[in-house]
Amino acid sequence: MTESAIPVGRASRRLLIPRVAMGLGLLLAAVLAGVVIGETPLPPGQVANVLAHKLFGASLLVDPIDAGIIWNYRLPRTLVAAGCGTALALSGLVLQTLVRNALADPYLLGVSAGASTGAVAVTIMGLGAGAIGISAGAFMGAAMAFGLVATLARAAGGGSAQLVLAGIAGSQLFNALTSFFIAKSANAEQARGIMFWLLGNLSGVRWPDVTLALPAACMGLVACLWHARSMDAFSFGAASAASLGVSVRRVTLVLLGAVTLMTAIMVSLVGAIGFVGLVVPHAMRFIAGTRHRALIPATALAGAVFMIAADITSRMMIPGQVVPIGVVTALVGAPGFALIMIRNRGRR
Amino acid sequence: MKLRAENLSLTAQGRAILDGVSLDIPTGVSFGLIGPNGSGKSTLLRLLAGLEPRAQGHVMLDDTRLRDLPRREIARRIALVEQQADTGDALSAREVVELGRTPWLAALQPFGPEDHHIVDQTLAAVGMTELAARHWSTLSGGERQRLQIARALAQRPQVLLLDEPTNHLDIHHQLALLRLVSRLQVTVVMALHDLNQALECDLLGVMSGGRLIACGPPATVLTPERLRQIFRIRSTSLRDPSDDAQILRFHCLEDER
Ligand SMILES: Nc1ncnc2c1ncn2[C@@H]1O[C@H](COP(=O)(O)OP(=O)(O)O)[C@@H](O)[C@H]1O
Ligand SMILES: [Mg+2]
């Protein structure tokens, strides 16, 4: 990492175009892999034909069943996975930067649990139908969890450890609330569905979900990039950021709002998925450094690719069965995070 | 840039940490703040930087109230080096100094040649050019302190607020820093512990228990009687034979009973 120091500003602009091209190429390759790989293997040529047919109206001969699998199932699922990975990874990055805590992540801080509670409450009580209603419930739950955890952490003294402990307390509380709602109001059938969704599940994803997930992820990416320099200024804490001219209140409000919204939408679509927000930004710091101008795009891209890979793994791990994607991200993420913590001894 | 404080007060947990401090610091003057531990020097500097929203009273920059200026405008005029600054981020020394350009750059504006030039220049000014590529975590306390000062200089401020800037520095770098600061064409307010260094300031303010109890040229402020009261020491004034400059020597009162 030493060589990145002096010429970084000058070199990074010269390398900008090849890097962006490489990133987009990687993303495209991941999406194609997500569509090609599955229980019914589809040759890439066939996939290309179907996509050309659907996207550009090319009059090619396509098998309607294959076309259905590709267009109605695998492509929306892969795109939602990508959006979700980006949103969760960026959420983790923003939280780590703003609260100056390496362990900050929507899952660990109880935000995801709050979103689950809100989503489940809306689903069971049948308040407002559809993805938007559930997302709105999830947003309320996420915001409540956020507020509760932040208040608790501050009341306990405001240190790093206090925040993580408050996050644990918040997660437990909201998970218990979720279980309570399910036990109280759901029938057995509903309960099974909800439990499966809670662990993170992309099986039910269709096109309308894409139109929620991708704009949310893009909105989060734009909000982060816009505040990249302000996020850099948080290196030495919020007071130092303020003395460097950052409107700490406004930036915090905008970025935490974006995190809450992204987390809520992703949880309402695919359930609470852990470790993405924790592992991806830390891994990217090794590659892209700690300056947000490079770290944000790297994290967004890696989050998308990681989640698509996790989705492919969840479909292929046990033949004939789909493992919840949250299980896959945890199986990869937990050891990955342990590794990062050990390598990071002494610094962040 | 002229800096004026009117009746600054701050209460925390029912205790007055700062109690009615008023100051008037003319443009280009170096103002030293002295006082025992806990007398409120750091707090006063934070208030002068506009970093304490709960504070009462006003800080005036020339004829503008600090409170009426947006954060970014304040950061273009005032730079603060706090007593301790630390980060867990794996930042290079150069990246630390680059933070100083934050108030001058729009959200999406990349670093320009001018910004790079200022960063090079300030790194050189504190003698950190050689170490520019080193990581923060590998630097010594003095090197970190010099980087923070370079960062503050990179803000191109008109008012520089320094909280014990010579802390952690070896004697060479202490003298180099004070020389650097004295040559800047900006208003400097700095908290100092070394009273002989304080003698070099244009004006001195003495803090005690959150109040500014004396203010004026060093010779009138640092009287033996006041040093006895505030710091509980006896002082003798000596002359350096080489240039006839005044030097203070201190003795513990407890030793003299
Ligand atoms: N946020 C705070 N809450 C309560 N007390 C504080 C706070 N900040 C500083 N103090 C107290 O205010 C007094 C002045 O502190 P400070 O300005 O750091 O003194 P100095 O820099 O002169 O050593 C100290 O007694 C300190 O304990
Ligand atoms: Mg102090």
Side-chain angles (χ1 to χ4, degrees), chain B residues 12-13 15 17 36-44 54 83 163:
Chain B
Q13 290 154 15
R15 202 162 62 87
I17 296 178
N37 296 138
S39 58
K41 303 180 296 294
S42 300
T43 308
L44 176 58
R54 299 166 301 167
Q83 213 166 342
D163 199 350

Side-chain angles (χ1 to χ4, degrees), chain B residues 44 72 99 122 148 168 171 201 250:
Chain B
L44 176 58
R72 172 191 281 266
L99 289 176
T122 51
Q148 287 298 335
H168 302 297
I171 186 69
C201 293
F250 311 107

Side-chain angles (χ1 to χ4, degrees), chain B residues 56-86:
Chain B
Q56 286 161 347
H58 299 293
V59 177
M60 307 282 293
L61 260 183
D62 284 341
D63 295 317
T64 321
R65 267 191 208 177
L66 209 55
R67 230 171 246 165
D68 297 337
L69 285 172
R71 251 325 332 154
R72 172 191 281 266
E73 292 301 320
I74 297 177
R76 289 177 175 189
R77 293 168 173 79
I78 302 181
L80 168 69
V81 176
E82 292 208 78
Q83 213 166 342
Q84 64 257 342
D86 202 6

Side-chain angles (χ1 to χ4, degrees), chain A residues 200-296:
Chain A
N201 180 8
L202 284 158
S203 317
V205 164
R206 299 290 179 271
W207 276 107
D209 302 326
V210 178
T211 60
L212 207 51
L214 289 192
C218 290
M219 177 272 313
L221 180 58
V222 169
C224 286
L225 282 175
W226 185 263
H227 291 106
R229 181 161 285 127
S230 301
M231 286 166 78
D232 284 346
F234 275 84
S235 284
F236 288 90
S240 152
S243 84
L244 288 169
V246 174
S247 313
V248 171
R249 274 178 85 94
R250 185 183 58 77
V251 169
T252 308
L253 211 64
V254 169
L255 288 178
L256 292 189
V259 166
T260 311
L261 189 62
M262 284 195 287
T263 307
I265 287 178
M266 298 312 156
V267 167
S268 66
L269 293 180
V270 302
I273 297 174
F275 283 100
V276 183
L278 208 52
V279 176
V280 174
H282 283 301
M284 286 305 105
R285 285 192 184 95
F286 284 116
I287 296 170
T290 59
R291 298 298 79 187
H292 289 85
R293 182 172 277 271
L295 185 55
I296 290 167

